[in-house]
Amino acid sequence: MQSLRSVPRLAQRAVWQRNLISRVRLASTAASKTLKIGGRDVSVPTGLFINNEFRKSIGGNTFGVENPATGREILQIEEGREEDVNEAVRVARRTFESPEWSGINPSHRGDLLNKLAVLMERDKEEIIALEMIDTGKTYKQASNLDFPGSVGTLKYYAGFADKLNGLTSFNIPGAFAYTRREAVGVCGQIIPWNFPLLMFTWKIAPAVVTGNTVVIKSAEATPLSALKVCELIKEAGFPEGVVNLVSGYGKTVGNAIANHMDIDKVAFTGSTGTGRHVLKSSANSNLKKVTLELGGKSPNIVFPDADFEKTIDWSAWGINMNFGQTCHAGTRIYVHEDIYDKFVDAYSKTMAKLKVGDNFDPTVDQGPQNSRMQHEKILGYIESGKQEGATVHLGGKVAQVGSDGGYYIEPTIFTNATPDMKIMKEEIFGPVVVISRFSDEADVIKHANDTTYGLAAAVHTQDYERAIRVTNALKAGTNWVNMYNFVHWSIPFGGYKQSGIGRECGEAVLENYTETKAVYMNMGIAAPK
């Protein structure tokens, strides 16, 4: 096998590909499994999706997927490793460079995304059931938020297929210039466990519509909905190798994607710490393009003139969405001193009414946290808040739900916290908020911006001059006025500071998946002498 060190850089890709081929064994097919979910039989593939086939892993490894409502294993699926990523990249590169993909009418890429959306709508209940059983989401959140957001994303980006236009210029004497938007190439994508279905579509849709090919890693805790959608990708008629899914762990699959010499761009959504490793891996490998959507510690500011009842409802949704397991959760609530006591009382009553329990019970508001690790992490932060002297105003302990186990936590409110406490500075990713009082607009802006993150923020006021003034001063990528946790696929989403690099959603994300080529045409300029 030839060493890359003995070859000039320009020839390394060809050697890399030959080395990969020599390592790959003939793939064997992995069977689907049928699960009984909420009284419904749901079939789900268990293999790695490579070249439009559900394959067994090259090393023969599998791992278990857990139901967070019980803590028990649902099923085993194939576990990818570095050699599986290599094979997926080889296939994706071959497809990207083939005329069957790179040479097709661009509008056909939009047709494929629209067909996938239609098939997802056909199988809506099965997809939602899979999303619920391995995430712990309630039906109303999965069906009203995750599913329509995923389908909407596919349809939205389908519309861009024939609208990736360049520019023309006649402003240079003696020359004509134009630009082209061209696909980047093979895109590695790594998605988180909290919104597996939504993040899958957020990642693949802009990559596919711009003509790239994809090697995507789902989160090991929540891989099922992505596997189901890959089944529909094949049915929709996507060419072989356009979308490839390698399930597995971050230290193996994620690391292999981030360090791969033949991946041209990587998109990662997850923790800031892991994002740093992805960025370093890009620098240490082939300087692949990187976009990162990372953590947050978002402020939610309530002025005394806010519509009180609506503010209570939106502030509750600011933490209740996905049970606090969102990067833009409104975990730091700042309330003006004139209404602080009234707000804390009303907000606490609203949170106390939430029903915590089995996420398949339609009357339940909050299901289990996603995993044992996440459950223990949240409880650790709650204990830290207690030890550092903050007041537990509500909750602060494990929620007792049935006898089947599961990872449940009571909605928790802290008061009397200081800015230096861990619960004020670090991302908890659970149903925990801190309510603080303020008296001065300039002071609350200072506290709101006193964070290493900058993903989201909100302002509640009926004074729109104040709303504009304050949102202009907040260092956050997404800002809400008189609402919270409302994100739409047509509007750019991303953060300032350590909350990420680049943007997801909207037309802005297409910049991440295209290269701009400039072409100059000589129209009579003589060569300099």
Side-chain angles (χ1 to χ4, degrees):
M1 189 175 295
Q2 192 170 2
S3 170
L4 287 175
R5 294 181 180 177
S6 65
V7 181
R9 178 169 293 275
L10 290 176
Q12 284 188 4
R13 174 173 289 171
V15 175
W16 182 273
Q17 289 178 330
R18 289 199 300 270
N19 289 350
L20 297 186
I21 294 169
S22 69
R23 294 188 186 109
V24 175
R25 300 189 314 217
L26 185 64
S28 56
T29 303
S32 294
K33 296 286 182 67
T34 298
L35 304 176
K36 180 72 74 172
I37 308 176
R40 173 191 298 272
D41 287 335
V42 180
S43 174
V44 59
T46 63
L48 310 178
F49 187 70
I50 299 174
N51 206 39
N52 276 12
E53 301 171 326
F54 286 101
R55 301 178 175 182
K56 292 186 176 181
S57 62
I58 292 173
N61 308 294
T62 63
F63 68 97
V65 180
E66 190 178 67
N67 180 354
T70 63
R72 293 195 291 268
E73 184 177 291
I74 305 167
L75 81 169
Q76 291 270 325
I77 68 169
E78 296 296 314
E79 179 196 339
R81 297 283 178 91
E82 182 179 2
E83 59 267 28
D84 300 293
V85 173
N86 291 342
E87 170 66 355
V89 172
R90 184 187 69 82
V91 167
R93 174 62 60 188
R94 182 186 65 199
T95 299
F96 177 72
E97 294 179 351
S98 71
E100 287 78 10
W101 180 243
S102 61
I104 65 170
N105 187 323
S107 64
H108 182 59
R109 298 195 289 263
D111 293 340
L112 292 172
L113 292 176
N114 275 321
K115 287 177 185 177
L116 178 58
V118 169
L119 292 173
M120 286 178 62
E121 288 173 324
R122 182 197 68 189
D123 294 349
K124 173 182 177 180
E125 296 303 323
E126 290 189 5
I127 294 170
I128 289 174
L130 290 170
E131 191 78 340
M132 291 173 67
I133 199 170
D134 74 347
T135 66
K137 292 177 186 287
T138 61
Y139 182 83
K140 55 187 173 184
Q141 287 204 24
S143 61
N144 295 330
L145 176 68
D146 300 65
F147 186 84
S150 302
V151 170
T153 297
L154 294 173
K155 292 180 178 180
Y156 173 76
Y157 284 107
F160 279 103
D162 57 358
K163 300 176 183 66
L164 296 171
N165 300 318
L167 301 175
T168 58
S169 174
F170 294 92
N171 298 323
I172 308 168
F176 163 63
Y178 66 91
T179 63
R180 282 170 49 87
R181 299 276 294 279
E182 298 182 354
V184 171
V186 177
C187 298
Q189 302 179 321
I190 304 170
I191 59 176
W193 51 260
N194 57 334
F195 290 96
L197 179 64
L198 188 63
M199 293 296 102
F200 185 83
T201 58
W202 273 26
K203 290 291 189 290
I204 70 164
V208 168
V209 81
T210 47
N212 299 280
T213 56
V214 170
V215 176
I216 187 167
K217 175 201 172 296
S218 56
E220 60 269 22
T222 55
L224 300 186
S225 58
L227 287 166
K228 187 66 177 179
V229 174
C230 282
E231 189 175 66
L232 303 183
I233 283 173
K234 181 175 182 179
E235 185 178 348
F238 280 60
E240 295 175 352
V242 172
V243 176
N244 305 274
L245 171 66
V246 182
S247 309
Y249 293 92
K251 63 183 179 182
T252 50
V253 175
N255 190 56
I257 288 173
N259 284 284
H260 207 287
M261 292 294 293
D262 203 28
I263 286 179
D264 302 296
K265 183 256 187 299
V266 65
F268 170 80
T269 297
S271 72
T272 298
T274 305
R276 285 194 180 94
H277 287 295
V278 171
L279 198 57
K280 288 178 183 177
S281 295
S282 169
N284 291 334
S285 55
N286 61 342
L287 279 177
K288 57 180 66 66
K289 294 178 178 295
V290 177
T291 50
L292 305 172
E293 197 274 284
L294 307 175
K297 192 67 179 174
S298 301
N300 183 20
I301 303 170
V302 181
F303 286 95
D305 67 329
D307 185 311
F308 190 80
E309 297 301 326
K310 290 180 180 179
T311 299
I312 292 294
D313 289 342
W314 278 110
S315 297
W317 178 243
I319 195 66
N320 295 341
M321 177 184 175
N322 213 35
F323 329 141
Q325 298 171 138
T326 68
C327 49
H328 46 74
T331 55
R332 294 184 294 145
I333 305 178
Y334 295 96
V335 183
H336 193 274
E337 60 185 6
D338 290 352
I339 60 169
Y340 177 83
D341 291 335
K342 179 183 177 183
F343 181 94
V344 171
D345 181 64
Y347 186 80
S348 300
K349 289 177 180 177
T350 296
M351 298 295 282
K353 292 177 183 176
L354 293 176
K355 183 176 180 180
V356 181
D358 180 358
N359 56 310
F360 282 88
D361 179 345
T363 67
V364 161
D365 301 298
Q366 178 181 314
Q369 307 307 132
N370 180 256
S371 66
R372 180 184 299 276
M373 181 177 69
Q374 187 62 21
H375 188 251
E376 292 176 351
K377 176 184 174 184
I378 297 165
L379 292 175
Y381 275 110
I382 291 173
E383 184 59 29
S384 170
K386 295 175 182 177
Q387 292 297 321
E388 290 187 322
T391 301
V392 178
H393 192 83
L394 181 75
K397 58 183 182 295
V398 172
Q400 301 303 316
V401 177
S403 59
D404 287 337
Y407 308 127
Y408 299 94
I409 294 178
E410 292 182 352
T412 298
I413 300 172
F414 278 102
T415 56
N416 300 317
T418 57
D420 59 329
M421 292 182 180
K422 284 179 67 175
I423 58 173
M424 289 289 283
K425 298 181 77 68
E426 297 182 16
E427 186 176 39
I428 299 174
F429 230 64
V432 181
V433 297
V434 182
I435 308 178
S436 304
R437 71 175 73 224
F438 75 91
S439 58
D440 176 77
E441 180 181 305
D443 187 55
V444 76
I445 291 171
K446 178 182 176 182
H447 283 295
N449 287 333
D450 184 21
T451 172
T452 59
Y453 297 109
L455 191 58
V459 178
H460 298 269
T461 179
Q462 296 186 67
D463 181 345
Y464 271 75
E465 288 186 11
R466 171 190 281 155
I468 293 171
R469 185 171 64 246
V470 174
T471 54
N472 285 349
L474 292 171
K475 303 302 181 185
T478 294
N479 293 265
W480 295 288
V481 177
N482 298 328
M483 62 195 313
Y484 205 99
N485 273 346
F486 185 89
V487 176
H488 195 270
W489 53 83
S490 65
I491 304 298
F493 179 79
Y496 287 23
K497 299 186 279 188
Q498 294 183 34
S499 285
I501 299 171
R503 291 295 182 267
E504 304 277 354
C505 297
E507 188 173 358
V509 73
L510 301 178
E511 294 289 338
N512 301 331
Y513 291 99
T514 55
E515 298 277 18
T516 299
K517 175 182 285 183
V519 179
Y520 292 86
M521 307 289 289
N522 191 334
M523 305 296 287
I525 301 176
K529 295 182 180 179

